[in-house]
Amino acid sequence: MNILEKIKTNYSASMNEMTVAAYLEECRKDPKMYAKPAERILDAIGEPEMLDTRQDPKLSRIFSNKKIKIYPAFRDFYGMESTIEQIVSYFRHSAQGLEEKKQILYLMGPVGGGKSSLAEKLKHLMQQNPIYVLKADDQISPVFESPLGLFADYAEELEEEYAIPARYIPGCMSPWASKRLREFDGDINRFKVVRLFPSIQEQIAISKTEPGDENNQDISTLVGKVDIRKLADYQQSDPDAYSYTGGLCLANQGLLEFVEMFKAPIKVLNPLLTATQEKNYKGTEPIGAIPFDGIILAHSNESEWAKFLNDKKNEAFLDRIYKVQVPYCLRVSEEIKIYEKLIRESSLKEAPCAPKTIELLAEFSVMSRLKEPENSSIYSKMRVYNGETLRETDPNAKSIQEYRDDAGINEGMQGISTRFAFKILSKVFNFDSEEIAANPVHLLYVLEQEVIKMMLPPETESKYLHLIKSVLASKYAEFISDEIQKAYIESYSSYGQNIFEKYVVYADHWMQNNDYRDPDSGEIFDRSILNEELEKIEKPAGIANPKDFRSEVTNFFLRFKANHGGQSPRWDSYEKIKNVIEKKIFTNTEDLLPVVSFNVKSNEEDEKKHRDFTRRMRDRGYTDKQIRILVDWFMRVRKTMA
């Protein structure tokens, strides 16, 4: 079936019709026939996958060895595990008939934090399961009411005869249905039941309301109003003269999204009080109560919430709100996934992006959102939040729980938004007039310029510029230095392996207090000479406790060989010794400068080395233009690295 046939088939199959009696018989067999919106959206979300974080050292540090739930429906919402769990809990408790069924789901967070994306996702999930709507003659109920509303006064009898729990019976039928029932002389069999799928496009059980001007917006945006075109045929109080176009009318049995709810005048919000608590609301005309059995989803930023919270007149609303904070992502690895997703969904997905570009932007974004820690660096805090352990590299780093306790519950509610960061990335990709590509040097420049243009408070601007110029630039200088040096040394990997294996042999003999005979030269190294040779490798890396370090590396080497049939581990498989060996290899950078620079070479040998160097840089993911830019930048900043 091709896509055209599929659309036609789905469209024609979307509406099934049955009698009320047949519907009640189906209800007896299948509870999904009368499922509440919370139950239907839970079914669409599906069962979570249980993730035991104890199996992953990084995740175990972030989540304190807990088992966490991962919902496949929200797999693209990175770093939002806690927020999503709170949202799912709201639906779960509402489906159980608890207090949440009478409350507004309110997402509060900073701009560009993902509130609207979550709302869109929930609306799409609401479309997956059908609803059953009352129909009279050729007209479907304008408020998409459940057929069970006809039995509002007979809940106990209905439960006894058809095993439909009384809590699923609406408290009232709509004025439209009440009028039809009078016209049918109480013959319910003249009604039909239609199976519909909620639709964002057609506003079937899903609607969206936005705040308007305080002078001209009234409750009709939620409850509808009289249709003046029909007053020639009906009285003003006739249900058929009413236009059921308000958000609550359209979202019955589904979901109403109220964007920036607290920007709306309080008079506009009043119908939500009875809609949530009593499951019905009053129209603008005397037509009787209109049923509402749906989910109200609101969202706004923190300043709007604080303003609403501090007004004592709003206490009734505050008691009816289930608040879920939606902070910015505070884990670099997850922030990177957000940018990669945004790039994949754009025409930039094929554009070259130099290594470390996206990571640097993610680090800047996350650090801008963190509360500055006491007696510790913000860079270390960022890495700890990302699940890294810094015991060896930063003795002042605290545990993730200590950082969180110090920061409080509002961390992540301020800082650079993901939306702003992606605009930065767009400018970086289009910075060069010759190629659409991104590299960290252009990123650092664009970031600095955009921060200045934002005209932030002096303290905030100073913090951001410090992060760019001092933290990110210095970290990237170290990174690109390593990249250039690795590309410079052709036999880099085998060279590192030789140093590693020699180090282990020397360290083992030194610890055993045995002399070592070099198999090639026959030269004998006593313990003092072995110590000198070991220190040549250790000192560039600043190893503070060589005895323990030698023991640890040797034990790792021997255990690995024992567990892998005598095969030696790779020199870069153990982070600690890898860093030490790299420092040893790259202690002297002066030799490589004439080769890596793009100046005219003095001899053919240097020219060949330069060509080999650029080839290996291309293999590492850089374009020719990027290699030149990054090498030039490295040459400028290398003196400050010394």
Side-chain angles (χ1 to χ4, degrees):
M1 186 185 294
N2 65 31
I3 189 169
L4 303 179
E5 293 169 338
K6 187 175 182 180
I7 291 172
K8 183 178 179 181
T9 302
N10 290 345
Y11 190 82
S12 60
S14 63
M15 188 181 294
N16 290 350
E17 192 171 298
M18 67 183 85
T19 65
V20 173
Y23 169 73
L24 293 176
E25 286 298 330
E26 288 296 318
C27 288
R28 193 201 305 270
K29 296 182 287 187
D30 184 5
K32 286 185 177 180
M33 298 291 290
Y34 53 83
K36 297 279 188 181
E39 294 173 80
R40 287 186 274 110
I41 206 165
L42 269 181
D43 181 73
I45 290 171
E47 290 299 314
E49 300 169 359
M50 298 304 296
L51 178 62
D52 188 351
T53 61
R54 291 176 299 179
Q55 309 302 319
D56 186 315
K58 189 173 179 180
L59 292 177
S60 72
R61 287 188 284 270
I62 295 171
F63 296 104
S64 304
N65 287 326
K66 295 175 185 174
K67 288 185 178 179
I68 60 172
K69 296 175 181 176
I70 304 296
Y71 295 90
F74 296 97
R75 200 178 291 279
D76 287 345
F77 289 83
Y78 303 108
M80 298 180 74
E81 295 85 0
S82 174
T83 298
I84 289 165
E85 183 54 43
Q86 290 178 68
I87 292 171
V88 174
S89 293
Y90 166 84
F91 290 123
R92 188 182 298 116
H93 298 164
S94 178
Q96 292 168 347
L98 304 178
E99 184 60 28
E100 281 79 357
K101 73 176 182 178
K102 299 179 180 180
Q103 297 201 317
I104 297 168
L105 174 59
Y106 169 61
L107 308 180
M108 188 270 282
V111 294
K115 302 185 299 297
S116 297
S117 297
L118 282 168
E120 288 300 313
K121 184 64 180 181
L122 292 172
K123 288 192 292 184
H124 280 282
L125 289 169
M126 184 59 79
Q127 293 182 121
Q128 292 187 17
N129 288 315
I131 59 173
Y132 294 85
V133 177
L134 203 58
K135 181 180 179 182
D137 296 327
D138 294 327
Q139 188 182 7
I140 293 173
S141 169
V143 292
F144 306 112
E145 66 189 295
S146 166
L148 299 181
L150 296 172
F151 305 93
D153 297 328
Y154 304 93
E156 292 182 6
E157 290 94 326
L158 197 67
E159 181 172 8
E160 186 176 331
E161 190 169 344
Y162 290 98
I164 301 172
R167 69 186 181 89
Y168 286 93
I169 314 301
C172 65
M173 70 179 83
S174 72
W176 174 88
S178 181
K179 179 181 178 180
R180 267 69 194 165
L181 192 59
R182 286 195 304 272
E183 292 174 349
F184 297 159
D185 293 325
D187 186 1
I188 286 179
N189 289 320
R190 293 183 63 179
F191 285 98
K192 300 292 183 184
V193 177
V194 179
R195 175 174 172 264
L196 296 174
F197 277 88
S199 169
I200 297 171
Q201 180 64 32
E202 298 181 32
Q203 294 193 82
I204 298 174
I206 297 175
S207 68
K208 188 175 190 175
T209 301
E210 297 174 344
D213 186 88
E214 197 154 327
N215 297 318
N216 58 31
Q217 188 176 34
D218 57 29
I219 62 171
S220 64
T221 58
L222 285 176
V223 304
K225 58 185 176 182
V226 71
D227 187 343
I228 58 174
R229 293 171 300 178
K230 295 182 179 179
L231 292 180
D233 301 316
Y234 302 102
Q235 292 183 5
Q236 192 164 338
S237 59
D238 192 301
D240 285 340
Y242 201 76
S243 176
Y244 300 90
T245 54
L248 290 170
C249 307
L250 299 172
N252 189 29
Q253 290 208 74
L255 187 147
L256 165 63
E257 180 191 4
F258 206 136
V259 181
E260 299 291 348
M261 185 175 87
F262 297 131
K263 287 183 179 177
I266 191 68
K267 64 181 181 180
V268 175
L269 302 180
N270 285 329
L272 301 180
L273 293 173
T274 52
T276 52
Q277 291 295 299
E278 299 166 23
K279 295 300 178 185
N280 64 70
Y281 54 94
K282 187 179 180 302
T284 57
E285 307 299 325
I287 59 171
I290 305 171
F292 178 76
D293 190 6
I295 294 161
I296 299 173
L297 169 65
H299 50 86
S300 70
N301 58 41
E302 192 174 7
S303 61
E304 296 295 334
W305 166 252
K307 184 178 172 183
F308 193 83
L309 183 66
N310 292 327
D311 191 339
K312 292 294 182 183
K313 298 194 296 289
N314 300 328
E315 287 180 347
F317 273 105
L318 295 171
D319 196 44
R320 289 165 169 81
I321 285 175
Y322 182 98
K323 181 166 74 80
V324 176
Q325 288 199 172
V326 186
Y328 289 130
C329 178
L330 296 180
R331 283 153 49 201
V332 171
S333 57
E334 298 299 298
E335 186 78 4
I336 289 171
K337 292 176 184 175
I338 296 173
Y339 301 155
E340 289 175 341
K341 175 191 171 187
L342 293 171
I343 290 172
R344 280 197 307 272
E345 294 171 351
S346 74
S347 62
L348 297 177
K349 64 180 179 180
E350 302 297 333
C353 184
K356 203 74 172 178
T357 308
I358 294 177
E359 186 178 339
L360 281 176
L361 179 59
E363 289 178 349
F364 173 73
S365 297
V366 169
M367 285 191 288
S368 75
R369 302 163 185 170
L370 297 177
K371 180 186 175 186
E372 196 82 38
E374 294 182 9
N375 304 321
S376 177
S377 76
I378 196 166
Y379 189 80
S380 292
K381 180 177 181 178
M382 175 201 71
R383 292 181 63 191
V384 169
Y385 271 32
N386 204 40
E388 299 178 48
T389 177
L390 305 181
R391 281 195 301 266
E392 300 294 330
T393 54
D394 184 359
N396 293 324
K398 301 174 185 176
S399 69
I400 192 167
Q401 195 58 50
E402 286 179 290
Y403 281 130
R404 285 174 179 165
D405 291 343
D406 176 63
I409 61 171
N410 287 326
E411 188 170 43
M413 302 298 281
Q414 295 178 328
I416 293 296
S417 73
T418 304
R419 192 177 295 136
F420 174 82
F422 194 59
K423 286 192 287 186
I424 292 288
L425 207 52
S426 303
K427 290 184 178 182
V428 172
F429 269 100
N430 291 281
F431 186 84
D432 195 299
S433 58
E434 295 179 16
E435 66 175 4
I436 296 178
N439 68 74
V441 171
H442 288 163
L443 172 69
L444 293 171
Y445 176 79
V446 171
L447 258 181
E448 183 180 343
Q449 297 305 309
E450 291 302 311
V451 166
I452 294 170
K453 287 180 189 176
M454 288 170 72
M455 299 181 68
L456 297 164
E459 185 179 343
T460 306
E461 181 179 299
S462 176
K463 174 189 173 181
Y464 290 178
L465 291 178
H466 170 75
L467 292 177
I468 297 166
K469 293 180 177 180
S470 299
V471 181
L472 295 181
S474 63
K475 295 297 178 183
Y476 183 65
E478 294 175 11
F479 173 83
I480 195 61
S481 173
D482 284 351
E483 286 282 274
I484 289 171
Q485 291 172 113
K486 289 171 186 175
Y488 169 72
I489 299 176
E490 186 170 11
S491 56
Y492 168 69
S493 185
S494 59
Y495 188 28
Q497 190 69 23
N498 290 338
I499 294 177
F500 177 44
E501 293 180 4
K502 183 170 72 172
Y503 180 87
V504 171
V505 171
Y506 287 178
D508 187 36
H509 281 76
W510 180 85
M511 287 187 297
Q512 301 298 329
N513 202 13
N514 292 333
D515 292 345
Y516 170 70
R517 179 185 292 274
D518 188 310
D520 296 324
S521 65
E523 187 179 357
I524 296 177
F525 294 179
D526 61 21
R527 198 164 190 262
S528 62
I529 297 175
L530 287 172
N531 188 61
E532 289 175 9
E533 294 297 319
L534 290 167
E535 285 181 346
K536 288 178 184 177
I537 300 172
E538 295 162 348
K539 279 187 175 178
I543 298 298
N545 194 335
K547 182 178 179 182
D548 291 345
F549 183 79
R550 293 168 189 178
S551 175
E552 189 177 345
V553 172
T554 304
N555 287 337
F556 163 77
F557 186 91
L558 297 175
R559 281 197 310 272
F560 187 97
K561 286 190 72 172
N563 294 331
H564 294 81
Q567 180 183 347
S568 298
R570 281 178 50 87
W571 70 277
D572 55 1
S573 61
Y574 192 47
E575 191 68 23
K576 291 181 180 179
I577 190 64
K578 172 179 176 285
N579 293 336
V580 168
I581 292 172
E582 286 183 344
K583 294 289 185 184
K584 164 65 179 173
I585 295 174
F586 304 136
T587 48
N588 185 11
T589 62
E590 295 302 318
D591 294 341
L592 62 81
L593 296 178
V595 171
V596 303
S597 74
F598 282 80
N599 298 330
V600 178
K601 300 295 176 281
S602 59
N603 55 64
E604 181 59 33
E605 184 183 354
D606 281 356
E607 183 63 42
K608 181 180 181 304
K609 287 181 179 179
H610 180 76
R611 286 195 300 269
D612 291 342
F613 161 75
T614 54
R615 173 179 53 78
R616 287 191 287 272
M617 285 291 281
R618 283 195 297 271
D619 292 343
R620 301 181 81 83
Y622 300 90
T623 67
D624 288 337
K625 184 72 179 289
Q626 288 172 345
I627 296 169
R628 180 182 288 272
I629 291 169
L630 299 179
V631 167
D632 288 347
W633 186 83
F634 166 71
M635 303 283 275
R636 288 198 306 272
V637 303
R638 69 183 181 85
K639 292 180 181 178
T640 62
M641 294 166 53

